[in-house]
């Protein structure tokens, strides 16, 4: 396809490489592979916007609907200057495998607008969001495709999308997730990805003889998911000894208080302004080389690669970010005996609580936070058991096992439905 608009290495090709490896082990036919790799539908929309300043700008929006064999498609909307079709396509396919690995009744999708939200006034952002929702209106729906927030979007953006869609279809809170609580959002959504990651770590720890009480942790990217993961790990007795953001790394062998770090981050824009005795400040790329029990990549894709994997010094990597580890790095980490909890499983807490939100919307019910947390724990623990048994059955690492579990589920649904 010639519609790639950046020169980045193809993330879609990388995801498909992981797919092929699992498909080989499953003995999937070429016909079915082609069907499962090919997105169901790709939308590219033109979004002209008369700015508040009077200037006319035209933005490009995308929605890739990857697969709907197991249910309506689900995935975030990102507003980012580098959002492009290849990346959105890759993330849409990751959503198919992610929803399948934790056994949610969904397929996968992803969307975005190539824009810098920081560059838009509140009114321009609202009008751009509404125009996008208007363009997508015939293709999304609570039984068709359910967007949610992602990088650069938030609960307010979801509220505008829901409102715009509801103008055409009547009040439909279930068309998007990640909404404000007042409009049918779920308790526990903001912390869900970090909490889900914690449940994954909690489940694997005894299997690798890792005592969480006193275990040391390094978090790459102390943003939304990184800070929540840090809070839950600290509450279980872990010591957060190193954290980084785009501006640098800070280390403290005594351990950081994640709430304090979060205050510094939200108050000053970066954790690098954290100041107390015993803190060492390093370049952001030094984070992964810190000697710890658990490394949590929670920043961007591709941060652990062939050029730096040798420096990683931990027992467990729990992937909060999407595709943080490149395939060549996986081989090096395996040689070093490092266990990896793969992204499509480890960061699935967010989409799982989005699913709970959608269920509550369809049933017009509200769950309390305790119910959300206990259902999330059950989903993450059950999914881990599925991964472990596939890893044993095929004698593979957990990433390959996750793809095997996911592809087996999607392939089976696709076969049963026939060509749909
Ligand atoms: P965020 O923007 O809140 O946080 C990202 C953090 O990473 C920021 O602190 C930023 O300064 C830092 N960062 C950027 N580049 C860095 C670098 N090179 N080294 C170290 N730190 C760097 O984003 P988020 O919502 O926390 O998402 C983080 C990752 O988790 C993304 O890959 C996202 O796709 C993935 N993810 C998020 C969710 C969710 O629910 N938000 C769900 C699943 C996966």
């Amino acid at each position: 396809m010639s519609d790639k608009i950046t020169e980045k290495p193809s993330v879609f090709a990388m995801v498909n490489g992981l797919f092929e490896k699992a498909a080989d082990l499953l003995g999937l036919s070429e016909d079915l592979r082609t069907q499962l790799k090919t997105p169901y539908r790709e939308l590219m929309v033109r979004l002209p916007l008369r700015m508040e300043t009077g200037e006319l700008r035209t933005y490009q929006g995308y929605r890739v609907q990857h697969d709907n064999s197991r249910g309506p498609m689900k995935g975030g909307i990102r507003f980012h200057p580098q959002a492009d079709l290849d990346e959105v396509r890759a993330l849409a396919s990751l959503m198919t495998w992610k929803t399948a690995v934790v056994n949610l009744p969904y397929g996968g999708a992803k969307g975005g607008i190539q824009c810098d939200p920081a560059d838009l006034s509140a009114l321009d952002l609202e009008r751009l969001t509404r125009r996008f929702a208007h363009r997508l209106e015939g293709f999304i729906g609570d039984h068709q495709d359910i967007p949610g927030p992602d990088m650069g979007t938030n609960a307010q953006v979801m509220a505008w999308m829901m409102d715009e869609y509801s103008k055409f279809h009547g009040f439909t809170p279930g068309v998007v997730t990640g909404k404000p609580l007042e409009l049918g959002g779920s308790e526990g959504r903001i912390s869900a990805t970090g909490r889900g990651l914690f449940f994954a770590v909690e489940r694997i720890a005894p299997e690798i003889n890792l005592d969480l009480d006193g275990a040391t942790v390094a978090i790459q990217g102390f943003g939304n998911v990184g800070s929540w993961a840090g809070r839950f790990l600290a509450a279980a007795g872990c010591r957060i000894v190193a954290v980084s953001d785009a501006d640098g790394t800070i280390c403290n062998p005594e351990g950081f208080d994640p709430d304090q770090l979060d205050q510094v981050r939200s108050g000053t824009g970066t954790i690098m302004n954290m100041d107390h005795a015993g803190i060492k400040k390093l370049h952001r790329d030094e984070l992964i080389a810190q000697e710890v029990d658990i490394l949590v990549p929670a920043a961007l894709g591709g941060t652990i690669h062939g050029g730096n994997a040798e420096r990683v010094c931990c027992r467990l990597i729990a992937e909060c970010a999407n595709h943080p580890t490149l395939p060549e790095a996986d081989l090096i980490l395996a040689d070093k005996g490092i266990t990896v909890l793969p992204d499509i499983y480890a960061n699935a807490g967010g989409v799982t609580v989005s699913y709970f939100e959608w269920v509550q919307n369809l049933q017009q019910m509200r769950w309390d936070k305790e119910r959300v947390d206990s259902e999330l724990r059950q989903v993450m623990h059950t999914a881990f058991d599925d991964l472990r048994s596939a890893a044993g059955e095929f004698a593979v690492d957990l990433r390959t096992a996750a793809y095997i579990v996911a592809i087996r589920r999607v392939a089976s649904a696709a076969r049963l439905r026939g060509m749909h």
Side-chain angles (χ1 to χ4, degrees):
M1 293 174 204
S2 61
D3 32 24
K4 209 177 139 207
I5 55 173
T6 70
E7 293 307 316
K8 289 187 291 184
S10 169
V11 190
F12 193 49
M14 189 182 100
V15 175
N16 280 338
L18 296 167
F19 171 91
E20 289 294 351
K21 184 176 175 190
D24 283 347
L25 290 163
L26 286 168
L28 229 61
S29 71
E30 279 305 321
D31 304 357
L32 195 52
R33 287 180 200 218
T34 306
Q35 181 180 334
L36 295 184
K37 281 193 300 184
T38 310
Y40 173 78
R41 183 188 280 144
E42 298 189 347
L43 300 164
M44 286 178 70
V45 293
R46 184 178 62 195
L47 303 165
L49 184 71
R50 178 73 66 193
M51 316 290 288
E52 268 196 281
T53 57
E55 181 194 353
L56 176 69
R57 285 197 202 161
T58 301
Y59 291 92
Q60 180 87 65
Y62 310 92
R63 184 72 179 167
V64 175
Q65 300 176 329
H66 178 256
D67 190 84
N68 59 1
S69 303
R70 301 178 62 258
M73 293 165 284
K74 181 88 194 87
I77 300 271
R78 61 175 50 177
F79 289 179
H80 194 272
Q82 266 103 48
D84 66 61
L85 193 52
D86 179 76
E87 188 185 38
V88 169
R89 198 182 274 145
L91 293 168
S93 67
L94 272 180
M95 288 305 297
T96 299
W97 313 128
K98 192 182 296 189
T99 52
V101 88
V102 287
N103 215 359
L104 307 178
Y106 282 146
K110 201 82 177 188
I113 301 179
Q114 202 173 56
C115 71
D116 184 356
D119 198 28
L120 295 168
S121 71
L123 188 60
D124 288 341
L125 186 66
E126 174 175 352
R127 290 171 58 237
L128 183 62
T129 303
R130 288 185 182 280
R131 177 141 296 180
F132 189 44
H134 189 178
R135 293 279 194 272
L136 296 186
E137 166 270 318
F139 302 96
I140 59 175
D142 53 4
H143 285 86
Q144 194 173 183
D145 176 5
I146 304 140
D150 196 74
M151 278 160 67
T153 56
N154 55 23
Q156 175 61 74
V157 170
M158 293 304 114
W160 290 327
M161 287 200 67
M162 185 209 82
D163 183 68
E164 196 63 24
Y165 181 87
S166 295
K167 286 179 187 167
F168 297 89
H169 300 274
F171 187 70
T172 318
V175 68
V176 289
T177 60
K179 299 177 295 293
L181 274 177
E182 297 88 330
L183 288 174
S186 180
E187 293 288 349
R189 174 63 187 87
I190 291 169
S191 57
T193 305
R195 192 181 279 277
L197 181 110
F198 169 70
F199 290 146
V201 170
E202 164 189 80
R203 188 65 163 194
I204 199 173
E207 314 231 344
I208 57 170
N209 293 320
L210 177 60
D211 185 357
L212 290 186
D213 195 10
T216 51
V217 176
I219 302 175
Q220 181 189 49
F222 198 79
N224 174 28
V225 294
S227 62
W228 282 107
R231 282 191 183 95
F232 295 122
L233 288 164
C238 295
R239 227 167 352 119
I240 316 296
V241 295
V243 289
S244 67
D245 65 14
D247 296 322
T249 294
I250 50 174
C251 306
N252 177 8
E254 302 298 312
F256 290 107
D257 171 351
D259 286 327
Q260 242 179 33
L261 278 177
D262 200 39
Q263 269 171 17
V264 173
R265 170 184 79 120
S266 43
T268 71
T270 171
I271 51 159
M272 294 311 286
N273 291 322
M274 182 81 183
D275 242 340
H276 71 71
I279 291 186
K280 197 164 64 176
K281 297 192 176 178
L282 302 170
H283 188 270
R284 68 181 185 198
D285 295 344
E286 290 304 309
L287 185 282
I288 59 145
Q290 302 308 305
E291 191 180 331
V292 286
D293 294 309
I294 307 171
L295 171 63
V296 180
L300 307 169
T303 55
I304 306 177
H305 46 77
N308 67 8
E310 203 57 64
R311 300 185 69 214
V312 173
C313 192
C314 66
R315 293 176 59 193
L316 175 68
I317 297 182
E319 295 184 340
C320 228
N322 286 317
H323 60 85
T325 310
L326 298 185
E328 68 266 20
D330 260 335
L331 300 174
I332 299 169
L333 298 174
D335 273 352
K336 289 169 70 96
I338 296 171
T339 305
V340 179
L341 277 173
D343 53 356
I344 60 168
Y345 162 64
N347 73 25
V351 71
T352 302
V353 174
S354 282
Y355 161 64
F356 297 158
E357 178 177 335
W358 176 74
V359 167
Q360 293 170 70
N361 295 155
L362 293 186
Q363 299 183 344
Q364 299 182 38
M365 281 182 67
R366 284 202 179 267
W367 298 0
D368 60 22
K369 200 169 165 316
E370 286 65 36
R371 174 151 185 209
V372 171
D373 288 350
S374 90
E375 301 260 359
L376 176 59
R377 173 180 258 133
Q378 192 176 333
V379 168
M380 295 304 294
H381 284 189
T382 304
F384 181 76
D385 296 344
D386 294 340
L387 252 64
R388 184 182 40 197
S389 86
E393 184 185 342
F394 290 87
V396 291
D397 58 273
L398 290 172
R399 189 185 311 284
T400 311
Y403 275 84
I404 286 174
V405 169
I407 293 168
R408 196 151 48 182
R409 285 184 179 141
V410 178
S412 169
R415 263 195 222 103
L416 287 164
R417 287 184 67 169
M419 281 179 297
H420 62 101

